[in-house]
């Protein structure tokens, strides 16, 4: 036995944190489960309701709509973030001056409060006078007089672009960190063999970066699915239900319509879905990246 | 590829001669182009923030102008509004709440992260997955049960209640990132201290903690920023007594219209700790945000 090993000591170190995590995470989950099987009126728990909350949730068109909206949102935002992020990372990896000044500046959108991100884009796209709504949207004749966020056709697209603005820098910096950690010797060998930069990128950089890309991609995917703050400020799910992502639907269901039982059922299902995604993420990251 | 970028002329005694001619090599010329491109990109990315920042000093007439007015006579009237409407107080609340919860996270999380990194725990993967899932769960899923529990036991709109809620994402995040930092510590120092007869907890306090100092500061600061930026918990579980800056932002959408100028000020105020953290922590941030998965 190594001198640091002891049967109880590591568990004593873990205990306080786990006690708290059980209280703040497992208890709410179990309570949500309990709520989802009961009738709840005006915040009071009523009779046992069996699966009725779940079946009403499944019958509701808006449930499926929210999943479809989230899917569209991710399908627009994610590939753009990914490609722009990778391009940016390759650029950062060149010999450039002043990287230590530019790098932290690029972090700002990612680290800003999402509610403030929403505010910034509210100003950019505001009604008829916002910088972008007047100079681009209106001048090029997309829309007139109204905000893109109140147009059913453009609202989700605009929200996805806001997400791209917020998270591309993150992708860029994560990929840049990956590029910096790549081994040098394969590139030397390739250079000796006379490989072109294109060949090096497709034959070396991409395969070497692939595991990292998968992990970062999963992380972003998980995050994009739970987006709330920016959408809440910019469209609040509207117009109609055209930008109502699952988080927004759960919020509207519970705190605007007080259908707590149904939204608890929704929370439980989303939670289980996330748990599956998480364990997938964990195993991929552990295997491919030797992380954790 | 294998050649150094420039060949500095070397004098007979081996020191580098400061020649009068500084020839720009081809590689360096290329880097000027990439640098400029990068600056342009950074400017485009940051432009919306700068533009909205200008609203702090922009009179209302210049805000709504069509066509867009690029230049305007600055005014301080929006600052008056921000001060008169108690936003400095919300700033204090935000700061207090973020500090308290971060402190608690560091105290609870550091030993746990160390335990994860250093010992062969039974069910290690399962425990870690539990931590991970706690971090990943969408806040809306947490806020519904929290709201029901808190309103029954009187924790709505209290610092204690919000601190508890913040622990869900921050404690798990902290354990996750810190355990990857802990793994990088050399184990030999601890083993020597044990062999010299120090007890295990003393080793943790006297040997491990000092080594972890900068990692604790970096990860703790990220936790502070997450708490500072948090909206949904503060919005649903806070209220009048405990109102944070992000919650105060949507309040500027009044019945008489949106107060854009004060909004820009509040938004900029909320950016101050973020900027500070970003400049101080740039080396640790990638690793923090990707949660230890990338050793950046």
């Amino acid at each position: 036995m190594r001198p640091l090993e002891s049967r109880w000591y590591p568990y004593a170190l873990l205990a306080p944190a786990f006690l708290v995590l059980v209280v703040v995470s497992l208890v709410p989950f179990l309570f949500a489960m309990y709520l989802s099987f009961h009738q709840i009126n005006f915040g009071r728990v009523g009779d046992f309701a069996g699966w009725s909350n779940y079946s009403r949730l499944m019958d509701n068109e808006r449930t499926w709509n929210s999943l479809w909206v989230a899917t569209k949102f991710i399908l627009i935002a994610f590939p753009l973030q990914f490609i722009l992020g990778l391009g940016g990372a390759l650029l950062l990896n060149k010999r450039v001056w002043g990287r230590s000044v530019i790098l932290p500046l690029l972090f700002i959108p990612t680290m800003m409060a999402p509610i403030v991100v929403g505010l910034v884009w509210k100003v950019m796209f505001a009604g008829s006078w916002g910088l972008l709504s007047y100079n681009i949207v209106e001048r090029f004749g997309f829309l007139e007089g109204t905000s893109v966020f109140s147009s059913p056709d453009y609202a989700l697209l605009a929200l996805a672009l806001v997400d791209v603005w917020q998270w591309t820098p993150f992708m860029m910096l994560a990929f840049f960190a990956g590029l910096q950690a790549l081994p040098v010797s394969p590139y030397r060998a390739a250079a000796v063999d006379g490989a072109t930069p294109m060949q090096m990128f497709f034959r070396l950089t991409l395969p070497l970066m692939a595991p990292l890309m998968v992990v970062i991609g999963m992380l972003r995917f998980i995050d994009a699915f739970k987006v709330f703050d920016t959408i809440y400020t910019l469209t609040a799910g509207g117009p109609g239900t055209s930008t109502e992502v699952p988080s927004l639907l759960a919020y509207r269901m519970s705190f605007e319509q007080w259908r707590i039982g149904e939204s608890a059922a929704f929370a439980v299902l989303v939670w289980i879905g996330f748990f599956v995604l998480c364990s997938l993420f964990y195993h991929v990251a552990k295997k491919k990246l030797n992380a954790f | 590829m294998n050649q150094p970028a420039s060949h500095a002329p070397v004098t007979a005694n081996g020191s580098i001669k400061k020649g009068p001619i500084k020839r720009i090599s081809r590689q360096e010329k290329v880097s000027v182009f990439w640098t400029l491109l990068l600056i342009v990109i950074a400017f485009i990315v940051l432009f919306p923030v700068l533009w909205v920042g200008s609203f702090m000093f922009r009179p209302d007439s210049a805000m709504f102008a069509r066509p867009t007015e690029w230049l305007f006579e600055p005014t301080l009237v929006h600052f008056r509004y921000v001060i008169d409407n108690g936003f400095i107080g919300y700033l204090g609340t935000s700061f207090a709440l973020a500090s308290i919860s971060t402190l608690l996270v560091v105290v609870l999380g550091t030993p746990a992260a160390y335990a994860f990194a250093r010992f062969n725990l039974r069910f290690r993967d399962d425990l870690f997955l539990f931590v991970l899932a706690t971090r990943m769960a969408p806040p809306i899923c947490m806020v519904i049960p929290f709201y029901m529990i808190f309103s029954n036991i009187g924790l709505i709109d209290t610092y204690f209640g919000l601190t508890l809620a913040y622990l869900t994402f921050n404690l798990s995040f902290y354990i996750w990132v810190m355990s990857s930092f802990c793994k990088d510590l050399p184990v030999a120092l601890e083993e020597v201290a044990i062999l010299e007869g120090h007890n295990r907890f003393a080793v943790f306090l006297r040997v491990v903690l000092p080594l972890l100092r900068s990692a604790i500061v970096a990860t703790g600061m990220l936790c502070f920023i997450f708490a500072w930026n948090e909206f949904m918990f503060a919005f649903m579980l806070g209220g009048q007594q405990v109102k944070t800056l992000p919650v105060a932002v949507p309040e500027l959408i009044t019945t008489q219209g949106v107060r854009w100028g004060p909004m820009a000020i509040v938004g900029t105020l909320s950016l101050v700790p973020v900027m500070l953290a970003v400049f101080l922590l740039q080396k640790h941030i990638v690793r923090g945000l990707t949660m230890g998965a990338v050793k950046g």
Side-chain angles (χ1 to χ4, degrees):
Chain A
M1 193 152 78
R2 298 223 317 273
L4 278 172
E5 299 288 336
S6 145
R7 197 163 292 177
W8 57 272
Y9 177 58
Y11 297 98
L13 291 175
L14 279 177
F18 264 79
L19 209 67
V20 170
L21 278 182
V22 165
V23 170
V24 300
S25 150
L26 202 59
V27 169
F29 174 67
L30 294 175
F31 190 66
M33 221 160 197
Y34 169 79
L35 290 175
S36 72
F37 288 112
H38 286 78
Q39 261 174 353
I40 293 145
N41 304 308
F42 304 106
R44 284 183 185 280
V45 180
D47 297 337
F48 181 74
W51 292 97
S52 69
N53 282 322
Y54 287 91
S55 63
R56 248 183 300 154
L57 185 71
M58 290 298 161
D59 288 339
N60 194 340
E61 233 175 68
R62 280 169 77 175
T63 310
W64 303 107
N65 176 62
S66 77
L67 291 174
W68 175 230
V69 170
T71 310
K72 277 192 288 187
F73 178 78
I74 292 172
L75 283 180
I76 303 168
F78 184 74
L80 271 174
Q81 278 166 14
F82 194 93
I83 291 165
L84 291 175
L86 186 60
L90 291 169
L91 175 60
L92 274 175
N93 205 34
K94 301 253 181 224
R95 287 167 43 93
V96 288
W97 286 314
R99 192 153 58 199
S100 59
V101 180
I102 294 173
L103 263 183
L105 288 174
L106 285 173
F107 271 118
I108 288 172
T110 299
M111 297 280 285
M112 265 166 91
I115 197 95
V116 176
V117 171
L119 171 140
V120 164
W121 289 95
K122 212 176 170 68
V123 173
M124 297 300 281
F125 278 120
S128 57
W129 53 269
L131 187 71
L132 291 182
S133 33
Y134 176 76
N135 291 302
I136 304 223
V137 178
E138 204 174 309
R139 195 161 288 181
F140 292 95
F142 292 113
L143 276 172
E144 218 163 291
T146 57
S147 161
V148 278
F149 295 119
S150 49
S151 143
D153 300 329
Y154 290 107
L156 192 67
L157 185 69
L159 288 176
L161 290 181
V162 172
D163 198 71
V164 168
W165 178 78
Q166 190 184 355
W167 287 101
T168 298
F170 165 75
M171 294 284 231
M172 190 167 156
L173 294 157
F175 288 152
F176 170 63
L179 286 174
Q180 292 274 295
L182 288 180
V184 187
S185 45
Y187 289 90
R188 290 245 168 87
V192 170
D193 291 345
T196 65
M198 278 302 238
Q199 282 171 326
M200 284 198 209
F201 176 74
F202 284 106
R203 299 277 172 82
L204 284 177
T205 309
L206 273 187
L208 285 170
M209 292 273 286
L212 173 70
M213 287 172 175
V214 171
V215 170
I216 299 291
M218 286 176 79
L219 206 62
R220 264 313 293 147
F221 181 81
I222 291 172
D223 266 357
F225 197 80
K226 61 185 186 193
V227 57
F228 176 84
D229 304 9
T230 40
I231 300 190
Y232 178 78
T233 17
L234 289 173
T235 65
T241 56
S242 60
T243 60
E244 194 176 67
V245 292
S247 288
L248 234 341
L249 174 66
Y251 167 79
R252 281 173 152 186
M253 232 169 13
S254 37
F255 298 107
E256 281 172 11
Q257 307 170 338
W258 291 102
R259 286 150 60 190
I260 302 278
E262 245 176 285
S263 61
F266 194 49
V268 168
L269 292 179
V270 169
W271 221 320
I272 292 170
F274 263 77
F275 191 75
V276 173
L277 274 181
C278 269
S279 42
L280 202 71
F281 170 81
Y282 181 64
H283 290 297
V284 170
K286 198 176 157 151
K287 251 198 203 135
K288 301 277 177 183
L289 272 189
N290 276 326
F292 311 122
Chain B
M1 179 103 191
N2 290 326
Q3 290 200 331
S6 60
H7 303 275
V10 180
T11 54
N13 60 14
S15 68
I16 294 167
K17 198 169 75 183
K18 293 185 190 109
I21 314 152
K22 229 185 156 193
R23 205 166 55 85
I24 297 172
S25 75
R26 197 172 146 266
Q27 266 187 335
E28 279 175 43
K29 236 190 261 168
V30 167
S31 79
V32 174
F33 173 74
W34 295 124
T35 306
L36 285 177
L37 186 61
L38 198 60
I39 290 171
V40 170
I41 290 174
F43 181 75
I44 293 171
V45 167
L46 289 178
F47 182 76
V49 180
L50 296 172
W51 180 254
V52 173
S54 82
F55 275 50
M56 292 196 285
F57 307 103
R58 202 174 268 261
D60 284 339
S61 57
M63 278 176 200
F64 308 120
R66 286 160 56 94
T68 307
E69 270 180 32
W70 294 90
L71 294 172
F72 55 89
E73 213 166 293
T75 169
L76 290 175
V77 62
H78 304 309
F79 285 89
R80 181 86 263 158
Y81 184 92
V82 166
I83 293 164
D84 288 348
N85 285 275
F87 281 93
I88 306 300
Y90 306 145
L91 197 71
T93 308
S94 268
F95 190 81
L97 194 61
S99 309
I100 299 168
S101 64
T102 303
L103 212 66
L104 206 60
V105 160
V106 170
V107 171
L108 290 167
T110 314
Y114 173 69
F116 264 124
R118 197 54 102 216
F119 302 103
N120 288 318
L121 302 163
R122 287 189 71 189
F123 309 116
R124 185 185 176 278
D125 278 6
D126 303 280
L127 291 176
F128 212 81
L129 197 56
F130 171 61
V131 172
L132 200 75
T134 303
R135 162 72 200 181
M136 299 288 204
I140 186 73
C141 294
M142 303 294 250
V143 90
I144 294 165
F146 264 127
Y147 184 85
M148 295 292 284
I149 298 172
F150 280 14
S151 52
N152 278 318
I153 57 175
L155 279 182
I156 294 278
D157 208 7
T158 60
Y159 277 94
F160 183 67
L162 269 183
T163 308
L164 271 184
Y166 282 8
L167 284 173
T168 53
F169 55 90
N170 265 351
L171 182 55
S172 38
F173 170 82
Y174 184 86
I175 293 175
W176 189 358
V177 176
M178 276 307 284
S179 73
S180 106
F181 279 118
C182 286
K183 265 191 196 151
D184 294 350
L185 295 182
V187 71
L189 287 173
E190 294 150 60
E191 284 174 340
V192 167
I194 292 275
L195 291 174
E196 280 176 356
H198 297 280
N199 79 48
R200 296 192 158 84
F201 198 63
V203 171
F204 174 68
L205 288 182
R206 306 248 175 85
V207 180
V208 178
L209 276 189
L211 290 171
L212 281 177
R213 204 169 40 204
S214 69
I216 290 174
V217 172
T219 318
M221 256 173 119
L222 280 175
C223 289
F224 181 92
I225 298 294
F226 292 146
W228 177 266
N229 285 348
E230 206 285 327
F231 173 68
M232 191 188 287
F233 286 128
F235 181 48
M236 297 315 307
L237 307 174
Q240 292 310 310
Q241 305 300 316
V242 189
K243 188 185 285 178
T244 64
L245 218 51
V247 179
V249 167
E251 254 171 41
L252 289 162
I253 304 171
T254 67
T255 43
Q256 291 111 45
V258 183
R259 303 263 177 192
W260 300 104
M263 257 195 179
I265 295 171
V266 174
T268 310
L269 277 177
S270 80
L271 220 74
V272 173
V274 175
M275 302 272 279
L276 216 72
V278 148
F279 272 92
L280 291 175
L281 303 179
Q282 42 167 318
K283 276 188 200 137
H284 298 289
I285 282 184
V286 170
R287 186 167 177 175
L289 286 179
T290 54
M291 309 194 196
V294 189
K295 311 234 158 162

